């Protein structure tokens, strides 16, 4: 099932995307009903054409927990030591944008990079989750672009400001609930040119380990996102660029880059 969040006639709704065109709407939020399975979801009978609605970020996370240096080749290209445990940091909910929205480069930015990533979408409240139970807490998976301002990141010595600007967390285009995340192709394109390519099987810390580790540190809430780390091939974005994060069996997240006015 592909779960979308969209706006129509000034109303925000959730729906299940069938094929390329039809949306069947949920009764309320899918996060309110998720108990480890999508079988309990209920629909209200409304149907919309995809062309008649605007897709939004597929969830409204209270936080995005992101991983640094979770692909060996990315650690090598940044000349940083591999972490012995998951290296986590937070991106604020105010950074979230959806598919086809604009990434706004701050006036004081010097170099802003794309980072294509697999996103884990939590389906229910999770605290101290054992690895073998992690799947029961995950609603599905999505595409994430962990946009990063490199000069600020280097100057600060920690990553909150560099990765926390408004619009620096594109998410979407939907949540895919029926996919095995452990060996998917992940690619990032800049203006149609392939810049990043990896498989999620190359992650140093896998999905279950991430959910278990992070939930041991902080409570994860329904709709929270875990951004699982980016592979090698990071690079700069400039006004006028189009960046796409494509993940096999999930979809394509597309955004446009503009300068702050």
């Amino acid at each position: 099932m592909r779960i979308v969040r969209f706006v129509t006639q000034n109303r925000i709704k959730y729906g299940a995307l069938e094929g390329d065109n039809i949306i069947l709407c949920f009764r309320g939020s899918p996060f309110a009903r998720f108990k480890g399975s999508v079988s309990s979801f209920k629909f209200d009978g409304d149907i919309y054409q995809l062309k008649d609605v605007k897709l939004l970020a597929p969830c409204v996370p209270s936080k995005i927990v992101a991983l640094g240096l979770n692909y060996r080749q990315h650690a090598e290209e940044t000349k940083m030591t591999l972490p012995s445990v998951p290296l986590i940091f937070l991106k604020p909910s105010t950074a979230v944008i959806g598919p086809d929205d604009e990434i706004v480069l701050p006036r004081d930015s010097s170099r802003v990079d794309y980072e294509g990533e697999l996103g884990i979408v939590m389906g229910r409240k999770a605290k101290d989750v054992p690895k073998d139970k992690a799947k029961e807490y995950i609603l599905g998976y999505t595409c994430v672009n962990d946009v990063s301002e490199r000069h600020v990141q280097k100057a600060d010595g920690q990553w909150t400001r560099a990765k926390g600007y408004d619009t620096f967390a594109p998410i979407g285009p939907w949540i895919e609930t029926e996919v095995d995340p452990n060996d998917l192709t992940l690619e990032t394109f800049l203006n149609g040119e392939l810049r990043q390519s990896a498989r999620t099987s190359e992650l140093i810390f896998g999905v279950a380990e991430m959910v278990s580790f992070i939930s041991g540190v902080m409570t994860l809430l329904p709709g929270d996102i875990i951004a699982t780390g980016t592979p090698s091939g990071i690079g700069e974005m400039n006004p006028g660029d189009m960046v796409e994060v494509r993940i096999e069996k999930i979809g394509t997240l597309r955004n446009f880059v503009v300068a702050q006015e």
Side-chain angles (χ1 to χ4, degrees):
M1 181 185 297
R2 287 180 168 175
I3 298 174
V4 293
R5 178 171 162 265
F6 64 99
V7 62
T8 177
Q9 298 179 340
N10 296 318
R11 295 179 61 197
I12 295 176
K13 305 185 76 171
Y14 288 92
L17 184 65
E18 295 189 350
D20 294 327
N21 295 311
I22 305 299
I23 295 173
L24 301 175
C25 295
F26 286 96
R27 293 178 183 171
S29 165
F31 297 98
R33 291 183 174 273
F34 184 73
K35 306 298 181 185
S37 169
V38 300
S39 60
S40 60
F41 290 164
K42 304 294 183 183
F43 300 96
D44 64 13
D46 290 344
I47 297 176
Y48 294 87
Q49 296 292 321
L50 188 59
K51 64 181 177 62
D52 295 331
V53 305
K54 174 176 170 51
L55 292 186
L56 305 174
C59 56
V60 184
S62 74
K63 56 187 172 292
I64 302 163
V65 187
L67 272 81
L69 306 178
N70 203 22
Y71 285 87
R72 186 176 301 276
Q73 290 183 343
H74 176 52
E76 292 172 353
E77 76 175 343
T78 56
K79 298 179 173 58
M80 298 181 72
T81 304
L82 287 175
S84 58
V85 297
L87 175 61
I88 61 175
F89 59 93
L90 296 176
K91 292 175 77 86
S93 60
T94 47
V96 172
I97 59 174
D100 290 328
D101 287 343
E102 293 178 340
I103 299 168
V104 181
L105 306 185
R107 294 186 192 94
D108 60 352
S109 63
S110 297
R111 171 175 167 164
V112 178
D113 284 9
Y114 55 79
E115 292 191 8
E117 307 193 7
L118 171 71
I120 304 168
V121 184
M122 302 306 299
R124 59 189 179 122
K125 186 176 179 180
K127 177 60 179 173
D128 293 325
V129 176
K131 284 193 290 186
D132 62 352
K133 299 291 185 181
K135 186 177 180 180
E136 300 173 14
Y137 293 82
I138 298 170
L139 175 59
Y141 302 89
T142 193
C143 306
V144 176
N145 188 346
D146 176 21
V147 180
S148 307
E149 211 295 341
R150 294 301 180 202
H151 290 275
V152 168
Q153 185 177 6
K154 183 177 180 180
D156 288 357
Q158 53 85 21
W159 301 352
T160 300
R161 182 163 66 115
K163 293 172 175 283
Y165 286 96
D166 291 354
T167 75
F168 273 27
I171 299 171
W174 43 65
I175 302 165
E176 176 57 70
T177 66
E178 304 297 328
V179 65
D180 182 343
N182 295 310
D183 190 25
L184 302 174
T185 300
L186 186 159
E187 298 176 320
T188 304
F189 293 79
L190 187 69
N191 300 322
E193 180 182 342
L194 179 63
R195 294 297 184 89
Q196 291 184 291
S197 182
R199 299 196 68 84
T200 56
S201 55
E202 299 168 18
L203 287 165
I204 296 169
F205 302 104
V207 168
E209 188 170 4
M210 284 184 267
V211 171
S212 181
F213 178 85
I214 295 167
S215 69
V217 176
M218 66 190 77
T219 300
L220 293 166
L221 300 177
D224 281 354
I225 297 282
I226 298 174
T228 59
T230 197
S232 61
I234 57 172
E236 185 176 4
M237 299 181 295
N238 292 289
D241 285 345
M242 177 182 71
V243 60
E244 297 170 288
V245 179
R246 302 179 188 175
I247 304 180
E248 178 186 6
K249 299 180 181 178
I250 296 178
T252 299
L253 170 65
R254 180 179 63 183
N255 296 96
F256 303 94
V257 184
V258 299
Q260 186 175 11
E261 296 181 357

